[in-house]
Structure formats: C-alpha cells, structure tokens
Amino acid sequence: NAGVMQNPRHLVRRRGQEARLRCSPMKGHSHVYWYRQLPEEGLKFMVYLQKENIIDESGMPKERFSAEFPKEGPSILRIQQVVRGDSAAYFCASSPTGGNNYGYTFGSGTRLTVV
Amino acid sequence: AQSVTQPDIHITVSEGASLELRCNYSYGATPYLFWYVQSPGQGLQLLLKYFSGDTLVQGIKGFEAEFKRSQSSFNLRKPSVHWSDAAEYFCAGLVSGGSNYKLTFGKGTLLTVNP
C-alpha cells in the first residue's frame, strides 16, 4: 500500500521557467493538501483540494501559483515564471475524508531550486 | 491568532540521555496537536497526536508527549535518545471544526545526538 507519492524529488529550474510538482495521494484518499517549507521555517499551508474542486486556496500566492486535482491522475502544483524566492520544499499530504482528524500522511516532498 | 511556538531552534543531547522538546500553542479553543519528525531530505512522519482524553500520549519510536492546558504546552519526551533520533522535530496544531484541515506548524527544533 504505497504512501503519498511526490515527484520529482528534486527539481531545478531557471528563473522564468515553469515548475510542475506532482502528488499522488494514498489509495482511497480523495483529499489533498499542499504545504511549502521555506529554509529554516516550518511548513505553511498553501491549498486544499478534493477531486476536481479547490476547497481552500488561502495560502497560495496570488500570482503565478495554481493547483489542480483532476478526476483522473495526480494533483499538480504549478508555478509559472519561477523566481529565486520560490526555492523551497513542497510537501503534499492526503486524507480519506476532509479534515485532519486522524493525522495527515505526508509525501517525501519536492525540493525546488531556482537558479 | 492561532500559533504554535517551538522555543528551541537547536538542541544537542548525548546518546542515552533523556530528551524534552518544547511546544507552546495559542488557540481560542483546545486544539488538536501533533508532533512530526523529519529526517534530512525526507518527508514528515507523524510521531503522535492529541485530540482529547488522556493528557499523556504515547507515540512511535518510544516518544511520548504531555498536554498541559494550564501551560498551553505539548512537550515531546523520550527517556533515552538513540543516535537515529537525530532529525528535525515539528509541533503542529489545528482547531476542530471549521477549517479543521489547516495545520499550523512551529518552526522546528533540530536535534543533534552526540555519541
């Protein structure tokens, strides 16, 4: 029973390029959450999605960032025109129902480096 | 505002010594509280969680935590540290009901274990 799968593990992009981060939730989980970890900081909530719906994107930067969770396939966090300040670790978590009543399961993260 | 504070950025202990990592919370109501561990380059693993009931919570890897409402604390403890416990530890919380999926993380405590 695979856990939350994120890929790629490491991603290097030049300034101005696009970054696409993928997250496949645990089997049977239909709720996905994205968090960002900046250097020497704790994780910060970005967005909560269910299949085909964005439930809460209050933690997403207003520009360049978008997320989706299609009916089929993984959830995608997309960052357009990346800048150095986007360099961070991005973690995805999933749960079988909405809310964190049982403790999230986190993936191993994607470490984005913008050069 | 809801917050979780970890006062110690870095702690060093000797192998075999006891460990206590501090966590303080600020919430309007009793929060759900969690401790996660992150090994270098890895994702977050849930050590234990507190929802209600017994204030002393047992977790994996020999860890425990005690919820103290009077002190707004949820400190993590282990009686005898192993070298493999060297990692970064994050305390996190959320409130039940409403946005009960949005974890608030502390900034983490880095644990170094000396032989």
Side-chain angles (χ1 to χ4, degrees), chain B residues 34-90:
Chain B
F34 307 82
W35 275 99
Y36 285 88
V37 61
Q38 184 181 28
S39 297
Q42 299 297 312
L44 280 81
Q45 182 179 22
L46 180 66
L47 287 175
L48 48 79
K49 56 186 181 284
Y50 171 77
F51 288 164
S52 64
D54 286 343
T55 56
L56 186 62
V57 180
Q58 301 298 320
I60 62 171
K61 303 185 178 186
F63 285 93
E64 66 177 27
E66 187 171 10
F67 173 72
K68 291 186 178 180
R69 187 190 306 274
S70 61
Q71 298 177 19
S72 297
S73 69
F74 187 57
N75 295 347
L76 182 71
R77 302 194 295 243
K78 187 169 184 177
S80 177
V81 170
H82 188 262
W83 63 266
S84 61
D85 293 324
E88 189 153 24
Y89 292 79
F90 292 95

Side-chain angles (χ1 to χ4, degrees), chain A residues 66-82:
Chain A
S66 62
E68 63 176 7
F69 189 16
K71 187 176 180 181
E72 301 291 336
S75 175
I76 305 287
L77 180 67
R78 181 182 179 207
I79 311 173
Q80 295 178 288
Q81 299 176 310
V82 296

Side-chain angles (χ1 to χ4, degrees), chain A residues 9 33 35 37 40-43 45 48 56 58 91 98-104 106-108 111, chain B residues 32 34 36 38 41-44 46 49 51 88 90 94 99-108:
Chain A
R9 291 291 301 274
Y33 317 83
Y35 284 75
Q37 183 180 28
E40 300 183 357
E41 294 282 331
L43 279 73
F45 170 81
Y48 164 30
D56 182 348
S58 59
F91 290 95
N100 191 24
N101 295 331
Y102 304 99
Y104 287 154
F106 279 90
S108 295
R111 281 147 185 87
Chain B
Y32 293 173
F34 307 82
Y36 285 88
Q38 184 181 28
Q42 299 297 312
L44 280 81
L46 180 66
K49 56 186 181 284
F51 288 164
E88 189 153 24
F90 292 95
L94 60 81
S99 302
N100 65 337
Y101 47 81
K102 195 180 295 186
L103 279 170
T104 298
F105 281 85
K107 291 189 176 182

